[in-house]
Amino acid sequence: MLHRRRFLNTAIRALALGGAGWWLLAARGARAQPRYTVPLAQLQDMAAQRFPRSVPVQGLLDLTLQAPALRLLPEVNRLGATMVVDAAGPALRRSHAGLFDVEFALRYEASDRTLRAHQIRLGRLDFPTLKPAVVQLLNTYAPALAEQSLREVTLHRLRPQDTAVLDGLGLQPGPITVTAEGLTVAFVGKAPG
């Protein structure tokens, strides 16, 4: 009887949370923690709003990064992004198209309820039509360019109604896990303070 009551309480909370993306792991009854899921398509849409982005390189040229194509990397709990990038400026005779590949972790920013890119790592910066010396120069600056172009890019914003019920239950967003379908944000008890 007690197990059934816990299950019903969990189910009632799940219904109260409503909205796409909310899932309670009811299989473990009342011990299950609420989780918020964000599908890859939603992440892609939010990231696209922040691009194109222009990044100057030492006054020699400008890189213009287009919206990233995101990919999920659940095996390392990170996201990957490949961006078409255009290099143009005084140091080049014409513009050159290339690819910029990075991967990054995510963090939750409580001040505005956002999931943001951080711990950015460059995968590759490739310009097939540029001279090797210019590509080498760009690769010297590539880690800083990756950090500058993607640092703190917002990939999702939780709405006040998404967190209101859980806030009332003394819960806050906790660990972010990359899955094969998107992101899962676990809600954990608030630290006393």
Side-chain angles (χ1 to χ4, degrees):
M1 183 71 160
L2 180 60
H3 179 68
R4 185 177 182 167
R5 185 175 298 145
R6 285 182 181 163
F7 178 79
L8 289 173
N9 284 336
T10 301
I12 289 168
R13 279 191 234 146
L15 290 173
L17 295 174
W22 283 105
W23 299 96
L24 287 174
L25 301 176
R28 294 190 316 196
R31 289 176 288 167
Q33 291 296 311
R35 298 182 187 279
Y36 181 81
T37 61
V38 186
L40 179 59
Q42 258 186 332
L43 298 169
Q44 188 70 58
D45 289 345
M46 183 69 131
Q49 294 174 21
R50 308 292 189 253
F51 290 86
R53 257 185 193 199
S54 184
V55 180
V57 179
Q58 297 292 322
L60 300 173
L61 55 94
D62 288 317
L63 298 178
T64 303
L65 296 125
Q66 300 303 317
L70 299 177
R71 63 189 180 284
L72 302 166
L73 304 170
E75 63 281 358
V76 291
N77 201 37
R78 294 171 70 83
L79 289 176
T82 301
M83 293 166 276
V84 172
V85 59
D86 183 59
L92 304 173
R93 292 192 175 136
R94 62 181 182 88
S95 66
H96 295 268
L99 289 177
F100 193 49
D101 192 58
V102 296
E103 67 174 55
F104 52 90
L106 295 154
R107 73 175 191 83
Y108 176 72
E109 174 53 49
S111 66
D112 60 0
R113 297 179 317 279
T114 57
L115 303 181
R116 297 178 179 205
H118 82 125
Q119 296 177 350
I120 298 162
R121 288 189 212 141
L122 177 68
R124 67 186 168 122
L125 179 60
D126 185 35
F127 286 92
T129 60
L130 279 176
K131 292 181 180 177
V134 177
V135 174
Q136 185 177 1
L137 173 69
L138 286 175
N139 277 302
T140 301
Y141 294 104
L145 293 171
E147 183 69 23
Q148 182 180 352
S149 63
L150 285 173
R151 179 182 53 237
E152 298 297 312
V153 166
T154 298
L155 292 167
H156 186 72
R157 183 180 310 273
L158 281 76
R159 302 168 304 170
Q161 60 266 35
D162 293 334
T163 58
V165 171
L166 293 170
D167 188 48
L169 294 171
L171 298 173
Q172 66 185 8
I176 301 168
T177 305
V178 177
T179 69
E181 291 79 36
L183 304 180
T184 299
V185 181
F187 280 78
V188 298
K190 289 182 181 177

